[in-house]
Amino acid sequence: MGKPRNARRGSGAAHVVEAVDGGLAELVPDRDRARAWTLLIDGAPQSHVDLDDPGHLAFEYQRRFGHVVDLAAPAGKPVHAVHLGGGALTLARYVAATRPRSTQQVVERDAALVQLVRCELPLDPNARIRVRCADAREGLRKVPDGWADLIVADVFSGARTPAHLTSTEFLDEVRRALRPGGLYAANLADGPPLAHLRGQIATAAARFPELALVADPTVLRGKRFGNAVLVASDAPLPVAELTRKAAGDPHPGRVEHGRALRDFTGGAAAVTDEAAVASPAPPPSAFR
C-alpha cells in the first residue's frame, strides 16, 4: 500500500487520500469538530467518525443504526455484536462507547482500507473489537451458532450491496449466528420504483417473523434515492421506542411495521442466491 498523500488545510487537519482495494479512499476533516473525519470511497460518503466523541453519529442512517444498538439490550449492558462491513468502524466505536465491555467482530473485505483506518483513525486500545479481513458472508460463517446479540449489515462495493448478501440463504447464516431474541439490522439503499427495497423486505419476511423499517418518508414514497434501515428478529421488536427515537432525529424518520410493511412490499418475492442481484447504483445527484 502506498504512502497517503496529505493535503494540509487551513484548520491544520490533513486531508488524506489513498488508493484502497475498493477504490480511492479519502479522509476529510470535519471543520466543526477537531478530531472528526468523513470517509469517502470514490467520492461516495461512507462513514463519519469523531475520535473525541464516538457516541456522535453524524449520518442519518448511522443514527438509525445507533437507535437499534440502544434498544438491543438494557442501557449500558455489554453485547456480542457482529458488523458486516467496517468502513471507518463508526458503529463499532459507538457500541464500545455506549456499552463498555462489549465483544465485537468486524468483517471487512478491504484490507487496505482497514489498514488506513487503523493508522489514521486508531481504535481505543481498550475496546474489544476484532477486525477480520474477509468477505462478509464468509466471515459470518465463522461466527459460532447463537453467539451474536446484534448483527449489522452495512456492506457496499462500488456503492452497491453485493448480490450474495441479499438472499434468503445469506439470512439463514444471519439467523444461525444470532441468539434467540437477537436483532439483525441492515442498511438498504434504493430509489424509485423501490423494487430492491421491496424485495429485501420480502426476503427478510421469509426468514424472520418480526420486521420494522426506518427511513425518511420521502424515500418510502419513492421520491428520491436514499437509505432505509431494516430491523428483524425472531422476537417482538421495540417498535414504539424505535418510532420515538426516529421521530426525534434531525431529519425525522418514519417506522413501518406489521401489516403496513407487508403491504409496502407490493407482493414482491423473496430473493434466493440463484436470482440475487446487487442493489441499484445511486444516481450522481445522490451525493451532491
Side-chain angles (χ1 to χ4, degrees):
M1 185 173 68
K3 183 178 179 181
R5 302 185 297 278
N6 297 339
R8 292 285 172 181
R9 294 192 170 193
S11 65
H15 179 181
V16 180
V17 182
E18 180 161 336
V20 295
D21 300 339
L24 189 68
E26 298 177 74
L27 290 173
V28 181
D30 187 329
R31 296 182 181 275
D32 298 320
R33 291 176 170 261
R35 297 181 68 225
W37 305 79
T38 297
L39 168 67
L40 299 92
I41 303 293
D42 288 340
Q46 301 290 322
S47 306
H48 180 280
V49 169
D50 188 335
L51 297 181
D52 290 330
D53 182 11
H56 174 74
L57 299 175
F59 287 4
E60 183 179 277
Y61 83 90
Q62 288 180 333
R63 282 194 299 273
R64 287 164 188 163
F65 273 148
H67 300 332
V68 177
V69 170
D70 294 344
L71 297 171
K77 181 181 178 181
V79 296
H80 287 177
V82 176
H83 305 267
L84 305 178
L89 307 177
T90 302
L91 201 66
R93 299 173 201 263
Y94 180 84
V95 173
T98 60
R99 297 184 176 278
R101 302 182 310 281
S102 291
T103 302
Q104 302 186 73
Q105 298 185 34
V106 178
V107 183
E108 169 58 59
R109 184 170 188 167
D110 194 328
L113 177 61
V114 170
Q115 184 176 340
L116 174 65
V117 169
R118 282 189 178 278
C119 177
E120 301 292 339
L121 308 175
L123 287 166
D124 180 344
N126 295 317
R128 299 168 64 179
I129 300 172
R130 177 187 180 187
V131 182
R132 183 195 302 273
C133 294
D135 171 78
R137 192 156 156 179
E138 289 298 320
L140 182 60
R141 289 195 182 107
K142 298 183 183 299
V143 176
D145 292 1
W147 182 85
D149 300 296
L150 173 68
I151 296 177
V152 176
D154 187 17
V155 184
F156 288 87
S157 176
R160 304 177 71 183
T161 301
H164 70 296
L165 304 180
T166 68
S167 67
T168 52
E169 290 90 342
F170 166 66
L171 291 183
D172 287 337
E173 280 297 317
V174 170
R175 284 213 62 172
R176 180 198 57 76
L178 274 176
R179 68 162 178 81
L183 297 181
Y184 170 65
N187 180 18
L188 307 176
D190 200 8
L194 301 180
H196 174 73
L197 182 58
R198 298 180 203 278
Q200 286 303 285
I201 296 168
T203 303
R207 292 298 183 265
F208 290 94
E210 301 291 337
L211 302 178
L213 187 73
V214 192
D216 186 297
T218 59
V219 173
L220 291 177
R221 290 197 299 267
K223 299 295 185 181
R224 69 172 178 87
F225 192 97
N227 297 87
V229 170
L230 177 67
V231 188
S233 181
D234 64 358
L237 294 169
V239 173
E241 295 91 337
L242 186 60
T243 300
R244 176 179 54 81
K245 285 177 172 289
D249 283 339
H251 298 283
R254 192 170 86 205
V255 176
E256 294 286 5
H257 65 100
R259 180 173 179 176
L261 186 56
R262 290 192 297 272
D263 291 345
F264 177 79
T265 65
V271 176
T272 64
D273 274 347
E274 186 177 358
V277 296
S279 67
S285 59
F287 306 122
R288 290 176 186 168

